[in-house]
Amino acid sequence: MSETLRESRERAGLSQAQLALRSGVAQPNIAAYESGRRNPSAAMVDRLRSAMSPLPHEALERHRDELKELAAEYGLSNVRVFGSAGQGTDTTQSDLDILVTRAPHVGLLTIAEFSVVAEQLLGVAVDVVTDGGLPADHPILRSAVAA
């Protein structure tokens, strides 16, 4: 178990200190789990694994071009980000809020399918909003930044 935890943390690209910050578990405890000096409970393992998930903005950075290509395949363009990922305040519990412009032939089911496929690509929850029905002064439009 200890080797697996360390390997998982390293695959996630996190130091023990970063994992401690994300999980709320003291870094010395993480070190003890990784060295085998302490055995984490199943709940603790779940907590640490959850904290190793990418933050939405990190997932976007890794897959930005792929996400834009995917959006184009679904008839969506002008991909922007808003919410916590756009502001840099996202956590492992945050989703990625995406604002898009849809082609006239694109309906709700297509947008829903895009959302599911985008989640699979990014590994984080995705919420998709289209800009067509938002008034020009809507806060989402004002805060959205290019993806």
Side-chain angles (χ1 to χ4, degrees), residues 57-83:
H57 81 270
E58 294 169 341
L60 177 62
E61 287 171 11
R62 285 187 204 127
H63 300 285
R64 183 180 317 275
D65 293 337
E66 294 163 281
L67 181 65
K68 289 179 180 181
E69 290 172 14
L70 181 66
E73 290 173 19
Y74 281 86
L76 305 171
S77 61
N78 196 15
V79 180
R80 293 152 285 169
V81 179
F82 66 96

mmCIF file with all atom_site columns, all heavy atoms in Angstrom, residues 57-83:
data_model
loop_
_atom_site.group_PDB
_atom_site.id
_atom_site.type_symbol
_atom_site.label_atom_id
_atom_site.label_alt_id
_atom_site.label_comp_id
_atom_site.label_asym_id
_atom_site.label_entity_id
_atom_site.label_seq_id
_atom_site.pdbx_PDB_ins_code
_atom_site.Cartn_x
_atom_site.Cartn_y
_atom_site.Cartn_z
_atom_site.occupancy
_atom_site.B_iso_or_equiv
_atom_site.pdbx_formal_charge
_atom_site.auth_seq_id
_atom_site.auth_comp_id
_atom_site.auth_asym_id
_atom_site.auth_atom_id
_atom_site.pdbx_PDB_model_num
ATOM 1   N N   . HIS A 1 57 ? -8.379  23.511 -13.632 1.00 0.00 ? 57 HIS A N   1
ATOM 2   C CA  . HIS A 1 57 ? -7.497  24.345 -14.471 1.00 0.00 ? 57 HIS A CA  1
ATOM 3   C C   . HIS A 1 57 ? -6.275  23.558 -14.930 1.00 0.00 ? 57 HIS A C   1
ATOM 4   O O   . HIS A 1 57 ? -5.754  23.792 -16.017 1.00 0.00 ? 57 HIS A O   1
ATOM 5   C CB  . HIS A 1 57 ? -7.115  25.653 -13.769 1.00 0.00 ? 57 HIS A CB  1
ATOM 6   C CG  . HIS A 1 57 ? -6.007  25.544 -12.788 1.00 0.00 ? 57 HIS A CG  1
ATOM 7   N ND1 . HIS A 1 57 ? -6.216  25.255 -11.452 1.00 0.00 ? 57 HIS A ND1 1
ATOM 8   C CD2 . HIS A 1 57 ? -4.666  25.676 -12.947 1.00 0.00 ? 57 HIS A CD2 1
ATOM 9   C CE1 . HIS A 1 57 ? -5.050  25.215 -10.833 1.00 0.00 ? 57 HIS A CE1 1
ATOM 10  N NE2 . HIS A 1 57 ? -4.090  25.463 -11.716 1.00 0.00 ? 57 HIS A NE2 1
ATOM 11  N N   . GLU A 1 58 ? -5.805  22.605 -14.125 1.00 0.00 ? 58 GLU A N   1
ATOM 12  C CA  . GLU A 1 58 ? -4.677  21.764 -14.526 1.00 0.00 ? 58 GLU A CA  1
ATOM 13  C C   . GLU A 1 58 ? -5.081  20.832 -15.676 1.00 0.00 ? 58 GLU A C   1
ATOM 14  O O   . GLU A 1 58 ? -4.324  20.657 -16.636 1.00 0.00 ? 58 GLU A O   1
ATOM 15  C CB  . GLU A 1 58 ? -4.174  20.923 -13.347 1.00 0.00 ? 58 GLU A CB  1
ATOM 16  C CG  . GLU A 1 58 ? -3.570  21.733 -12.229 1.00 0.00 ? 58 GLU A CG  1
ATOM 17  C CD  . GLU A 1 58 ? -3.315  20.923 -10.968 1.00 0.00 ? 58 GLU A CD  1
ATOM 18  O OE1 . GLU A 1 58 ? -3.908  19.834 -10.802 1.00 0.00 ? 58 GLU A OE1 1
ATOM 19  O OE2 . GLU A 1 58 ? -2.521  21.388 -10.146 1.00 0.00 ? 58 GLU A OE2 1
ATOM 20  N N   . ALA A 1 59 ? -6.265  20.247 -15.558 1.00 0.00 ? 59 ALA A N   1
ATOM 21  C CA  . ALA A 1 59 ? -6.759  19.367 -16.619 1.00 0.00 ? 59 ALA A CA  1
ATOM 22  C C   . ALA A 1 59 ? -6.920  20.153 -17.917 1.00 0.00 ? 59 ALA A C   1
ATOM 23  O O   . ALA A 1 59 ? -6.575  19.658 -18.999 1.00 0.00 ? 59 ALA A O   1
ATOM 24  C CB  . ALA A 1 59 ? -8.086  18.731 -16.202 1.00 0.00 ? 59 ALA A CB  1
ATOM 25  N N   . LEU A 1 60 ? -7.419  21.372 -17.814 1.00 0.00 ? 60 LEU A N   1
ATOM 26  C CA  . LEU A 1 60 ? -7.571  22.216 -18.999 1.00 0.00 ? 60 LEU A CA  1
ATOM 27  C C   . LEU A 1 60 ? -6.217  22.526 -19.620 1.00 0.00 ? 60 LEU A C   1
ATOM 28  O O   . LEU A 1 60 ? -6.058  22.445 -20.845 1.00 0.00 ? 60 LEU A O   1
ATOM 29  C CB  . LEU A 1 60 ? -8.301  23.512 -18.650 1.00 0.00 ? 60 LEU A CB  1
ATOM 30  C CG  . LEU A 1 60 ? -8.459  24.518 -19.783 1.00 0.00 ? 60 LEU A CG  1
ATOM 31  C CD1 . LEU A 1 60 ? -9.289  23.925 -20.916 1.00 0.00 ? 60 LEU A CD1 1
ATOM 32  C CD2 . LEU A 1 60 ? -9.078  25.805 -19.275 1.00 0.00 ? 60 LEU A CD2 1
ATOM 33  N N   . GLU A 1 61 ? -5.238  22.865 -18.799 1.00 0.00 ? 61 GLU A N   1
ATOM 34  C CA  . GLU A 1 61 ? -3.900  23.164 -19.319 1.00 0.00 ? 61 GLU A CA  1
ATOM 35  C C   . GLU A 1 61 ? -3.329  21.979 -20.091 1.00 0.00 ? 61 GLU A C   1
ATOM 36  O O   . GLU A 1 61 ? -2.732  22.153 -21.144 1.00 0.00 ? 61 GLU A O   1
ATOM 37  C CB  . GLU A 1 61 ? -2.951  23.537 -18.175 1.00 0.00 ? 61 GLU A CB  1
ATOM 38  C CG  . GLU A 1 61 ? -3.215  24.909 -17.590 1.00 0.00 ? 61 GLU A CG  1
ATOM 39  C CD  . GLU A 1 61 ? -2.409  25.179 -16.332 1.00 0.00 ? 61 GLU A CD  1
ATOM 40  O OE1 . GLU A 1 61 ? -1.478  24.393 -16.023 1.00 0.00 ? 61 GLU A OE1 1
ATOM 41  O OE2 . GLU A 1 61 ? -2.709  26.173 -15.655 1.00 0.00 ? 61 GLU A OE2 1
ATOM 42  N N   . ARG A 1 62 ? -3.547  20.767 -19.576 1.00 0.00 ? 62 ARG A N   1
ATOM 43  C CA  . ARG A 1 62 ? -3.011  19.560 -20.215 1.00 0.00 ? 62 ARG A CA  1
ATOM 44  C C   . ARG A 1 62 ? -3.717  19.219 -21.519 1.00 0.00 ? 62 ARG A C   1
ATOM 45  O O   . ARG A 1 62 ? -3.132  18.608 -22.407 1.00 0.00 ? 62 ARG A O   1
ATOM 46  C CB  . ARG A 1 62 ? -3.128  18.366 -19.274 1.00 0.00 ? 62 ARG A CB  1
ATOM 47  C CG  . ARG A 1 62 ? -2.130  18.374 -18.163 1.00 0.00 ? 62 ARG A CG  1
ATOM 48  C CD  . ARG A 1 62 ? -2.184  17.078 -17.362 1.00 0.00 ? 62 ARG A CD  1
ATOM 49  N NE  . ARG A 1 62 ? -1.654  17.329 -16.040 1.00 0.00 ? 62 ARG A NE  1
ATOM 50  C CZ  . ARG A 1 62 ? -2.274  17.049 -14.906 1.00 0.00 ? 62 ARG A CZ  1
ATOM 51  N NH1 . ARG A 1 62 ? -3.442  16.454 -14.913 1.00 0.00 ? 62 ARG A NH1 1
ATOM 52  N NH2 . ARG A 1 62 ? -1.716  17.345 -13.762 1.00 0.00 ? 62 ARG A NH2 1
ATOM 53  N N   . HIS A 1 63 ? -5.008  19.560 -21.604 1.00 0.00 ? 63 HIS A N   1
ATOM 54  C CA  . HIS A 1 63 ? -5.827  19.101 -22.733 1.00 0.00 ? 63 HIS A CA  1
ATOM 55  C C   . HIS A 1 63 ? -6.501  20.234 -23.494 1.00 0.00 ? 63 HIS A C   1
ATOM 56  O O   . HIS A 1 63 ? -7.497  20.014 -24.174 1.00 0.00 ? 63 HIS A O   1
ATOM 57  C CB  . HIS A 1 63 ? -6.894  18.124 -22.225 1.00 0.00 ? 63 HIS A CB  1
ATOM 58  C CG  . HIS A 1 63 ? -6.339  16.911 -21.560 1.00 0.00 ? 63 HIS A CG  1
ATOM 59  N ND1 . HIS A 1 63 ? -5.768  15.887 -22.265 1.00 0.00 ? 63 HIS A ND1 1
ATOM 60  C CD2 . HIS A 1 63 ? -6.253  16.581 -20.248 1.00 0.00 ? 63 HIS A CD2 1
ATOM 61  C CE1 . HIS A 1 63 ? -5.365  14.946 -21.419 1.00 0.00 ? 63 HIS A CE1 1
ATOM 62  N NE2 . HIS A 1 63 ? -5.642  15.345 -20.187 1.00 0.00 ? 63 HIS A NE2 1
ATOM 63  N N   . ARG A 1 64 ? -5.965  21.428 -23.385 1.00 0.00 ? 64 ARG A N   1
ATOM 64  C CA  . ARG A 1 64 ? -6.588  22.614 -24.000 1.00 0.00 ? 64 ARG A CA  1
ATOM 65  C C   . ARG A 1 64 ? -6.871  22.417 -25.489 1.00 0.00 ? 64 ARG A C   1
ATOM 66  O O   . ARG A 1 64 ? -7.994  22.608 -25.957 1.00 0.00 ? 64 ARG A O   1
ATOM 67  C CB  . ARG A 1 64 ? -5.689  23.831 -23.787 1.00 0.00 ? 64 ARG A CB  1
ATOM 68  C CG  . ARG A 1 64 ? -6.232  25.137 -24.311 1.00 0.00 ? 64 ARG A CG  1
ATOM 69  C CD  . ARG A 1 64 ? -5.273  26.298 -24.064 1.00 0.00 ? 64 ARG A CD  1
ATOM 70  N NE  . ARG A 1 64 ? -4.684  26.300 -22.742 1.00 0.00 ? 64 ARG A NE  1
ATOM 71  C CZ  . ARG A 1 64 ? -5.245  26.828 -21.646 1.00 0.00 ? 64 ARG A CZ  1
ATOM 72  N NH1 . ARG A 1 64 ? -6.419  27.394 -21.742 1.00 0.00 ? 64 ARG A NH1 1
ATOM 73  N NH2 . ARG A 1 64 ? -4.622  26.806 -20.487 1.00 0.00 ? 64 ARG A NH2 1
ATOM 74  N N   . ASP A 1 65 ? -5.865  22.039 -26.254 1.00 0.00 ? 65 ASP A N   1
ATOM 75  C CA  . ASP A 1 65 ? -6.041  21.886 -27.705 1.00 0.00 ? 65 ASP A CA  1
ATOM 76  C C   . ASP A 1 65 ? -7.014  20.771 -28.030 1.00 0.00 ? 65 ASP A C   1
ATOM 77  O O   . ASP A 1 65 ? -7.860  20.914 -28.925 1.00 0.00 ? 65 ASP A O   1
ATOM 78  C CB  . ASP A 1 65 ? -4.692  21.639 -28.391 1.00 0.00 ? 65 ASP A CB  1
ATOM 79  C CG  . ASP A 1 65 ? -3.782  22.858 -28.319 1.00 0.00 ? 65 ASP A CG  1
ATOM 80  O OD1 . ASP A 1 65 ? -4.294  23.988 -28.156 1.00 0.00 ? 65 ASP A OD1 1
ATOM 81  O OD2 . ASP A 1 65 ? -2.548  22.676 -28.412 1.00 0.00 ? 65 ASP A OD2 1
ATOM 82  N N   . GLU A 1 66 ? -6.933  19.661 -27.290 1.00 0.00 ? 66 GLU A N   1
ATOM 83  C CA  . GLU A 1 66 ? -7.850  18.548 -27.518 1.00 0.00 ? 66 GLU A CA  1
ATOM 84  C C   . GLU A 1 66 ? -9.292  18.956 -27.223 1.00 0.00 ? 66 GLU A C   1
ATOM 85  O O   . GLU A 1 66 ? -10.214 18.555 -27.932 1.00 0.00 ? 66 GLU A O   1
ATOM 86  C CB  . GLU A 1 66 ? -7.467  17.357 -26.637 1.00 0.00 ? 66 GLU A CB  1
ATOM 87  C CG  . GLU A 1 66 ? -6.139  16.732 -26.985 1.00 0.00 ? 66 GLU A CG  1
ATOM 88  C CD  . GLU A 1 66 ? -5.638  15.860 -25.855 1.00 0.00 ? 66 GLU A CD  1
ATOM 89  O OE1 . GLU A 1 66 ? -5.104  16.421 -24.875 1.00 0.00 ? 66 GLU A OE1 1
ATOM 90  O OE2 . GLU A 1 66 ? -5.782  14.625 -25.964 1.00 0.00 ? 66 GLU A OE2 1
ATOM 91  N N   . LEU A 1 67 ? -9.487  19.759 -26.166 1.00 0.00 ? 67 LEU A N   1
ATOM 92  C CA  . LEU A 1 67 ? -10.829 20.205 -25.813 1.00 0.00 ? 67 LEU A CA  1
ATOM 93  C C   . LEU A 1 67 ? -11.404 21.093 -26.915 1.00 0.00 ? 67 LEU A C   1
ATOM 94  O O   . LEU A 1 67 ? -12.567 20.952 -27.289 1.00 0.00 ? 67 LEU A O   1
ATOM 95  C CB  . LEU A 1 67 ? -10.825 20.954 -24.478 1.00 0.00 ? 67 LEU A CB  1
ATOM 96  C CG  . LEU A 1 67 ? -12.198 21.449 -24.014 1.00 0.00 ? 67 LEU A CG  1
ATOM 97  C CD1 . LEU A 1 67 ? -13.131 20.275 -23.723 1.00 0.00 ? 67 LEU A CD1 1
ATOM 98  C CD2 . LEU A 1 67 ? -12.049 22.337 -22.786 1.00 0.00 ? 67 LEU A CD2 1
ATOM 99  N N   . LYS A 1 68 ? -10.590 21.990 -27.446 1.00 0.00 ? 68 LYS A N   1
ATOM 100 C CA  . LYS A 1 68 ? -11.054 22.867 -28.527 1.00 0.00 ? 68 LYS A CA  1
ATOM 101 C C   . LYS A 1 68 ? -11.404 22.058 -29.777 1.00 0.00 ? 68 LYS A C   1
ATOM 102 O O   . LYS A 1 68 ? -12.401 22.334 -30.439 1.00 0.00 ? 68 LYS A O   1
ATOM 103 C CB  . LYS A 1 68 ? -10.002 23.924 -28.851 1.00 0.00 ? 68 LYS A CB  1
ATOM 104 C CG  . LYS A 1 68 ? -9.862  24.975 -27.769 1.00 0.00 ? 68 LYS A CG  1
ATOM 105 C CD  . LYS A 1 68 ? -8.793  25.978 -28.142 1.00 0.00 ? 68 LYS A CD  1
ATOM 106 C CE  . LYS A 1 68 ? -8.637  27.040 -27.093 1.00 0.00 ? 68 LYS A CE  1
ATOM 107 N NZ  . LYS A 1 68 ? -7.615  28.030 -27.454 1.00 0.00 ? 68 LYS A NZ  1
ATOM 108 N N   . GLU A 1 69 ? -10.579 21.057 -30.087 1.00 0.00 ? 69 GLU A N   1
ATOM 109 C CA  . GLU A 1 69 ? -10.868 20.190 -31.236 1.00 0.00 ? 69 GLU A CA  1
ATOM 110 C C   . GLU A 1 69 ? -12.154 19.407 -31.007 1.00 0.00 ? 69 GLU A C   1
ATOM 111 O O   . GLU A 1 69 ? -12.973 19.271 -31.921 1.00 0.00 ? 69 GLU A O   1
ATOM 112 C CB  . GLU A 1 69 ? -9.705  19.223 -31.482 1.00 0.00 ? 69 GLU A CB  1
ATOM 113 C CG  . GLU A 1 69 ? -8.455  19.889 -32.007 1.00 0.00 ? 69 GLU A CG  1
ATOM 114 C CD  . GLU A 1 69 ? -7.255  18.955 -32.060 1.00 0.00 ? 69 GLU A CD  1
ATOM 115 O OE1 . GLU A 1 69 ? -7.430  17.715 -31.940 1.00 0.00 ? 69 GLU A OE1 1
ATOM 116 O OE2 . GLU A 1 69 ? -6.124  19.463 -32.229 1.00 0.00 ? 69 GLU A OE2 1
ATOM 117 N N   . LEU A 1 70 ? -12.332 18.907 -29.804 1.00 0.00 ? 70 LEU A N   1
ATOM 118 C CA  . LEU A 1 70 ? -13.541 18.169 -29.466 1.00 0.00 ? 70 LEU A CA  1
ATOM 119 C C   . LEU A 1 70 ? -14.766 19.074 -29.599 1.00 0.00 ? 70 LEU A C   1
ATOM 120 O O   . LEU A 1 70 ? -15.793 18.667 -30.171 1.00 0.00 ? 70 LEU A O   1
ATOM 121 C CB  . LEU A 1 70 ? -13.438 17.621 -28.035 1.00 0.00 ? 70 LEU A CB  1
ATOM 122 C CG  . LEU A 1 70 ? -14.625 16.805 -27.542 1.00 0.00 ? 70 LEU A CG  1
ATOM 123 C CD1 . LEU A 1 70 ? -14.756 15.507 -28.326 1.00 0.00 ? 70 LEU A CD1 1
ATOM 124 C CD2 . LEU A 1 70 ? -14.465 16.517 -26.053 1.00 0.00 ? 70 LEU A CD2 1
ATOM 125 N N   . ALA A 1 71 ? -14.670 20.290 -29.101 1.00 0.00 ? 71 ALA A N   1
ATOM 126 C CA  . ALA A 1 71 ? -15.783 21.235 -29.197 1.00 0.00 ? 71 ALA A CA  1
ATOM 127 C C   . ALA A 1 71 ? -16.152 21.471 -30.661 1.00 0.00 ? 71 ALA A C   1
ATOM 128 O O   . ALA A 1 71 ? -17.335 21.461 -31.018 1.00 0.00 ? 71 ALA A O   1
ATOM 129 C CB  . ALA A 1 71 ? -15.414 22.548 -28.509 1.00 0.00 ? 71 ALA A CB  1
ATOM 130 N N   . ALA A 1 72 ? -15.151 21.644 -31.503 1.00 0.00 ? 72 ALA A N   1
ATOM 131 C CA  . ALA A 1 72 ? -15.410 21.880 -32.930 1.00 0.00 ? 72 ALA A CA  1
ATOM 132 C C   . ALA A 1 72 ? -16.133 20.684 -33.556 1.00 0.00 ? 72 ALA A C   1
ATOM 133 O O   . ALA A 1 72 ? -17.033 20.873 -34.385 1.00 0.00 ? 72 ALA A O   1
ATOM 134 C CB  . ALA A 1 72 ? -14.100 22.160 -33.660 1.00 0.00 ? 72 ALA A CB  1
ATOM 135 N N   . GLU A 1 73 ? -15.770 19.465 -33.149 1.00 0.00 ? 73 GLU A N   1
ATOM 136 C CA  . GLU A 1 73 ? -16.442 18.270 -33.664 1.00 0.00 ? 73 GLU A CA  1
ATOM 137 C C   . GLU A 1 73 ? -17.931 18.260 -33.315 1.00 0.00 ? 73 GLU A C   1
ATOM 138 O O   . GLU A 1 73 ? -18.734 17.684 -34.033 1.00 0.00 ? 73 GLU A O   1
ATOM 139 C CB  . GLU A 1 73 ? -15.787 17.005 -33.103 1.00 0.00 ? 73 GLU A CB  1
ATOM 140 C CG  . GLU A 1 73 ? -14.398 16.740 -33.637 1.00 0.00 ? 73 GLU A CG  1
ATOM 141 C CD  . GLU A 1 73 ? -13.718 15.579 -32.927 1.00 0.00 ? 73 GLU A CD  1
ATOM 142 O OE1 . GLU A 1 73 ? -14.409 14.758 -32.281 1.00 0.00 ? 73 GLU A OE1 1
ATOM 143 O OE2 . GLU A 1 73 ? -12.477 15.501 -33.021 1.00 0.00 ? 73 GLU A OE2 1
ATOM 144 N N   . TYR A 1 74 ? -18.286 18.906 -32.214 1.00 0.00 ? 74 TYR A N   1
ATOM 145 C CA  . TYR A 1 74 ? -19.683 18.957 -31.775 1.00 0.00 ? 74 TYR A CA  1
ATOM 146 C C   . TYR A 1 74 ? -20.384 20.240 -32.223 1.00 0.00 ? 74 TYR A C   1
ATOM 147 O O   . TYR A 1 74 ? -21.494 20.527 -31.786 1.00 0.00 ? 74 TYR A O   1
ATOM 148 C CB  . TYR A 1 74 ? -19.758 18.809 -30.252 1.00 0.00 ? 74 TYR A CB  1
ATOM 149 C CG  . TYR A 1 74 ? -19.617 17.375 -29.812 1.00 0.00 ? 74 TYR A CG  1
ATOM 150 C CD1 . TYR A 1 74 ? -18.366 16.805 -29.606 1.00 0.00 ? 74 TYR A CD1 1
ATOM 151 C CD2 . TYR A 1 74 ? -20.738 16.571 -29.624 1.00 0.00 ? 74 TYR A CD2 1
ATOM 152 C CE1 . TYR A 1 74 ? -18.229 15.481 -29.215 1.00 0.00 ? 74 TYR A CE1 1
ATOM 153 C CE2 . TYR A 1 74 ? -20.612 15.243 -29.237 1.00 0.00 ? 74 TYR A CE2 1
ATOM 154 C CZ  . TYR A 1 74 ? -19.356 14.711 -29.040 1.00 0.00 ? 74 TYR A CZ  1
ATOM 155 O OH  . TYR A 1 74 ? -19.232 13.393 -28.659 1.00 0.00 ? 74 TYR A OH  1
ATOM 156 N N   . GLY A 1 75 ? -19.754 21.027 -33.067 1.00 0.00 ? 75 GLY A N   1
ATOM 157 C CA  . GLY A 1 75 ? -20.371 22.251 -33.560 1.00 0.00 ? 75 GLY A CA  1
ATOM 158 C C   . GLY A 1 75 ? -20.314 23.396 -32.567 1.00 0.00 ? 75 GLY A C   1
ATOM 159 O O   . GLY A 1 75 ? -21.137 24.311 -32.612 1.00 0.00 ? 75 GLY A O   1
ATOM 160 N N   . LEU A 1 76 ? -19.328 23.360 -31.687 1.00 0.00 ? 76 LEU A N   1
ATOM 161 C CA  . LEU A 1 76 ? -19.171 24.397 -30.671 1.00 0.00 ? 76 LEU A CA  1
ATOM 162 C C   . LEU A 1 76 ? -17.873 25.147 -30.918 1.00 0.00 ? 76 LEU A C   1
ATOM 163 O O   . LEU A 1 76 ? -16.876 24.565 -31.339 1.00 0.00 ? 76 LEU A O   1
ATOM 164 C CB  . LEU A 1 76 ? -19.151 23.767 -29.273 1.00 0.00 ? 76 LEU A CB  1
ATOM 165 C CG  . LEU A 1 76 ? -20.357 22.878 -28.935 1.00 0.00 ? 76 LEU A CG  1
ATOM 166 C CD1 . LEU A 1 76 ? -20.129 22.131 -27.635 1.00 0.00 ? 76 LEU A CD1 1
ATOM 167 C CD2 . LEU A 1 76 ? -21.631 23.700 -28.874 1.00 0.00 ? 76 LEU A CD2 1
ATOM 168 N N   . SER A 1 77 ? -17.882 26.436 -30.660 1.00 0.00 ? 77 SER A N   1
ATOM 169 C CA  . SER A 1 77 ? -16.690 27.253 -30.883 1.00 0.00 ? 77 SER A CA  1
ATOM 170 C C   . SER A 1 77 ? -16.561 28.276 -29.760 1.00 0.00 ? 77 SER A C   1
ATOM 171 O O   . SER A 1 77 ? -17.386 28.322 -28.848 1.00 0.00 ? 77 SER A O   1
ATOM 172 C CB  . SER A 1 77 ? -16.786 27.964 -32.236 1.00 0.00 ? 77 SER A CB  1
ATOM 173 O OG  . SER A 1 77 ? -17.925 28.815 -32.248 1.00 0.00 ? 77 SER A OG  1
ATOM 174 N N   . ASN A 1 78 ? -15.524 29.109 -29.858 1.00 0.00 ? 78 ASN A N   1
ATOM 175 C CA  . ASN A 1 78 ? -15.292 30.180 -28.900 1.00 0.00 ? 78 ASN A CA  1
ATOM 176 C C   . ASN A 1 78 ? -15.330 29.648 -27.461 1.00 0.00 ? 78 ASN A C   1
ATOM 177 O O   . ASN A 1 78 ? -16.077 30.135 -26.614 1.00 0.00 ? 78 ASN A O   1
ATOM 178 C CB  . ASN A 1 78 ? -16.322 31.301 -29.110 1.00 0.00 ? 78 ASN A CB  1
ATOM 179 C CG  . ASN A 1 78 ? -15.921 32.588 -28.435 1.00 0.00 ? 78 ASN A CG  1
ATOM 180 O OD1 . ASN A 1 78 ? -14.775 32.779 -28.041 1.00 0.00 ? 78 ASN A OD1 1
ATOM 181 N ND2 . ASN A 1 78 ? -16.883 33.483 -28.286 1.00 0.00 ? 78 ASN A ND2 1
ATOM 182 N N   . VAL A 1 79 ? -14.525 28.639 -27.198 1.00 0.00 ? 79 VAL A N   1
ATOM 183 C CA  . VAL A 1 79 ? -14.502 27.987 -25.884 1.00 0.00 ? 79 VAL A CA  1
ATOM 184 C C   . VAL A 1 79 ? -13.839 28.908 -24.873 1.00 0.00 ? 79 VAL A C   1
ATOM 185 O O   . VAL A 1 79 ? -12.707 29.345 -25.065 1.00 0.00 ? 79 VAL A O   1
ATOM 186 C CB  . VAL A 1 79 ? -13.754 26.632 -25.960 1.00 0.00 ? 79 VAL A CB  1
ATOM 187 C CG1 . VAL A 1 79 ? -13.727 25.960 -24.597 1.00 0.00 ? 79 VAL A CG1 1
ATOM 188 C CG2 . VAL A 1 79 ? -14.384 25.731 -27.015 1.00 0.00 ? 79 VAL A CG2 1
ATOM 189 N N   . ARG A 1 80 ? -14.563 29.183 -23.802 1.00 0.00 ? 80 ARG A N   1
ATOM 190 C CA  . ARG A 1 80 ? -14.066 30.037 -22.724 1.00 0.00 ? 80 ARG A CA  1
ATOM 191 C C   . ARG A 1 80 ? -14.312 29.360 -21.385 1.00 0.00 ? 80 ARG A C   1
ATOM 192 O O   . ARG A 1 80 ? -15.150 28.477 -21.278 1.00 0.00 ? 80 ARG A O   1
ATOM 193 C CB  . ARG A 1 80 ? -14.780 31.394 -22.753 1.00 0.00 ? 80 ARG A CB  1
ATOM 194 C CG  . ARG A 1 80 ? -14.414 32.211 -23.994 1.00 0.00 ? 80 ARG A CG  1
ATOM 195 C CD  . ARG A 1 80 ? -15.506 33.157 -24.397 1.00 0.00 ? 80 ARG A CD  1
ATOM 196 N NE  . ARG A 1 80 ? -16.579 32.391 -25.040 1.00 0.00 ? 80 ARG A NE  1
ATOM 197 C CZ  . ARG A 1 80 ? -17.780 32.880 -25.324 1.00 0.00 ? 80 ARG A CZ  1
ATOM 198 N NH1 . ARG A 1 80 ? -18.076 34.117 -25.026 1.00 0.00 ? 80 ARG A NH1 1
ATOM 199 N NH2 . ARG A 1 80 ? -18.689 32.129 -25.905 1.00 0.00 ? 80 ARG A NH2 1
ATOM 200 N N   . VAL A 1 81 ? -13.608 29.809 -20.386 1.00 0.00 ? 81 VAL A N   1
ATOM 201 C CA  . VAL A 1 81 ? -13.729 29.254 -19.036 1.00 0.00 ? 81 VAL A CA  1
ATOM 202 C C   . VAL A 1 81 ? -14.195 30.357 -18.097 1.00 0.00 ? 81 VAL A C   1
ATOM 203 O O   . VAL A 1 81 ? -13.748 31.503 -18.210 1.00 0.00 ? 81 VAL A O   1
ATOM 204 C CB  . VAL A 1 81 ? -12.368 28.689 -18.566 1.00 0.00 ? 81 VAL A CB  1
ATOM 205 C CG1 . VAL A 1 81 ? -12.466 28.140 -17.155 1.00 0.00 ? 81 VAL A CG1 1
ATOM 206 C CG2 . VAL A 1 81 ? -11.876 27.625 -19.523 1.00 0.00 ? 81 VAL A CG2 1
ATOM 207 N N   . PHE A 1 82 ? -15.069 29.993 -17.173 1.00 0.00 ? 82 PHE A N   1
ATOM 208 C CA  . PHE A 1 82 ? -15.495 30.943 -16.145 1.00 0.00 ? 82 PHE A CA  1
ATOM 209 C C   . PHE A 1 82 ? -15.572 30.194 -14.816 1.00 0.00 ? 82 PHE A C   1
ATOM 210 O O   . PHE A 1 82 ? -15.298 29.001 -14.748 1.00 0.00 ? 82 PHE A O   1
ATOM 211 C CB  . PHE A 1 82 ? -16.834 31.604 -16.520 1.00 0.00 ? 82 PHE A CB  1
ATOM 212 C CG  . PHE A 1 82 ? -18.012 30.662 -16.548 1.00 0.00 ? 82 PHE A CG  1
ATOM 213 C CD1 . PHE A 1 82 ? -18.855 30.544 -15.458 1.00 0.00 ? 82 PHE A CD1 1
ATOM 214 C CD2 . PHE A 1 82 ? -18.280 29.895 -17.678 1.00 0.00 ? 82 PHE A CD2 1
ATOM 215 C CE1 . PHE A 1 82 ? -19.946 29.684 -15.487 1.00 0.00 ? 82 PHE A CE1 1
ATOM 216 C CE2 . PHE A 1 82 ? -19.369 29.037 -17.721 1.00 0.00 ? 82 PHE A CE2 1
ATOM 217 C CZ  . PHE A 1 82 ? -20.206 28.936 -16.618 1.00 0.00 ? 82 PHE A CZ  1
ATOM 218 N N   . GLY A 1 83 ? -15.913 30.879 -13.782 1.00 0.00 ? 83 GLY A N   1
ATOM 219 C CA  . GLY A 1 83 ? -16.020 30.243 -12.470 1.00 0.00 ? 83 GLY A CA  1
ATOM 220 C C   . GLY A 1 83 ? -14.660 30.079 -11.817 1.00 0.00 ? 83 GLY A C   1
ATOM 221 O O   . GLY A 1 83 ? -13.690 30.762 -12.167 1.00 0.00 ? 83 GLY A O   1
#
